[in-house]
């Protein structure tokens, strides 16, 4: 005996109905450049982060200042960037995915942050790990907020 199928059948938006072969082709043409610029930007951002890690390596068991700095810098740049492209100037449609998602997404790093926390715990420094966890959150959010607010004021000042 099979159970009745109680799933709700929601209507399909024809703009995104991927069962329509022509719409799939349109989406592929529209999304291919976006995927390409995100990939290129991600490679550039990741390479920059890797280079920063080589220049300022974190010794085992010590506080990961480099990762904290990278994440803070990336968040500060995204604060400026998003205000500039949404409130300041009109930019090409591929600029946001290239810089925001690609470059800055590749530059900032949640995975290294998580590994750093694990390494601190494994080194017997759980308080430092917890401090790093909290500090990164506050520094990253503070960097975005501060730079976005400052950029917004600067743009408003130029328009006056």
């Amino acid at each position: 005996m099979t159970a009745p199928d109680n799933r709700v059948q929601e209507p399909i938006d024809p703009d995104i109905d991927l069962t329509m072969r022509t719409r799939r082709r349109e989406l592929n043409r529209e999304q291919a450049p976006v995927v390409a610029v995100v990939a290129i930007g991600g490679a550039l951002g990741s390479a920059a982060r890797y280079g920063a890690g080589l220049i300022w390596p974190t010794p085992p068991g010590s506080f990961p200042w480099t990762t904290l700095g990278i994440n803070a810098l990336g968040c500060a740049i995204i604060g400026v960037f998003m205000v500039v492209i949404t409130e300041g100037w009109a930019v090409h449609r591929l600029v946001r995915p290239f810089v925001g998602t690609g470059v800055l997404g590749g530059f900032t790093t949640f995975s290294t942050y998580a590994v750093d926390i694990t390494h601190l715990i494994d080194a017997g420094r759980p308080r430092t790990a917890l401090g790093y966890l909290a500090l990164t959150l506050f520094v990253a959010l503070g960097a975005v907020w501060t730079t976005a607010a400052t950029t917004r004021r600067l743009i408003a000042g130029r328009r006056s």
Side-chain angles (χ1 to χ4, degrees):
M1 177 169 219
T2 53
D5 186 4
N6 293 330
R7 290 180 288 172
V8 175
Q9 296 297 318
E10 297 291 337
I12 297 174
D13 183 346
D15 291 336
I16 59 168
D17 184 2
L18 298 180
T19 60
M20 297 171 54
R21 185 170 283 158
T22 56
R23 185 61 187 144
R24 269 190 301 213
R25 275 189 238 122
E26 286 174 24
L27 279 175
N28 288 339
R29 277 194 305 274
E30 292 169 12
Q31 294 298 351
V34 174
V35 171
V37 298
V38 168
I40 293 165
L44 294 172
S46 297
R49 175 175 30 92
Y50 180 73
L54 291 176
I55 294 169
W56 301 288
T58 300
S62 65
F63 193 87
W65 290 107
T66 301
T67 305
L68 178 65
I70 286 168
N71 286 336
L73 178 61
C75 288
I77 294 169
I78 198 79
V80 172
F81 176 71
M82 291 308 293
V83 170
V84 167
I85 69 166
T86 58
E87 300 173 27
W89 296 279
V91 296
H92 189 276
R93 74 179 188 95
L94 296 178
V95 170
R96 183 176 179 172
F98 174 73
V99 176
T101 306
V103 175
L104 295 174
F107 183 66
T108 57
T109 172
F110 181 77
S111 59
T112 303
Y113 164 66
V115 169
D116 288 342
I117 291 168
T118 303
H119 287 163
L120 287 169
I121 291 169
D122 291 346
R125 302 188 63 200
R127 286 187 188 146
T128 303
L130 187 59
Y132 174 56
L133 180 90
L135 183 62
T136 297
L137 174 67
F138 290 117
V139 167
L141 290 175
V144 170
W145 184 84
T146 302
T147 58
T150 302
T151 304
R152 202 169 275 120
R153 273 191 231 109
L154 289 171
I155 288 174
R158 284 190 146 181
R159 290 183 184 157
S160 303

